[in-house]
Amino acid sequence: MAALPELEEPLSLTVVGTEFMKPFFSASLAILALTVTAHATEPVSVGDLIVEHAWARATPPSAPTGAVYLTIANNGSEADQIVAIETPVAGYAMAHTTEIQDGVSRMREARPLEIAPGATLEMKPGGTHVMLMDLTTDLEAGDEITVTITFDKAGTVEVPVEVGAIGAMGPE
């Protein structure tokens, strides 16, 4: 690979203010954001399961609860299920699901939470997620926390979770 030439002056970026450049600039930023978010946390494996895209939203100061979102893929030939979730940043953690009833959003514990063979469980805002109860610390953007998930068959895995901004809708 060729070495980069040395520059006599620092590079600068000027954004042209013409209307035809705005869509190009916006599309470029979107592509960059997708590239960065795809690598928020490295996937972790346990047995035939792969856990990836783990992230959480930052919480306001002294908030009692938080949420973690992630994806679990089952590449095996048998179903598996989550039997326990723990984290040092909360008194307890559990899988929750969000349902809309009569126009009102309600959360309830999601048990058992099974991942069928060949299936992927996506935990996301407005759906199934890991609810962190009795937070022992504020979740601050840029922090990394750990969630330990125990599966019935595959065993236990520690999952690194990146904390994004308050109100984030995906990993940053």
Side-chain angles (χ1 to χ4, degrees), residues 138-150:
D138 296 335
L139 303 183
E140 296 183 11
D143 286 353
E144 184 174 287
I145 63 172
T146 301
V147 172
T148 303
I149 304 174
T150 303

Side-chain angles (χ1 to χ4, degrees), residues 5 12 40 52 65-66 74 79 84 96-97 106 116 120 123 128 141 143 154 157 164:
S12 64
E52 57 188 340
T65 62
N74 184 347
H96 267 193
T97 188
R106 300 180 195 275
T120 299
M123 294 188 174
T128 304
D143 286 353
V157 63

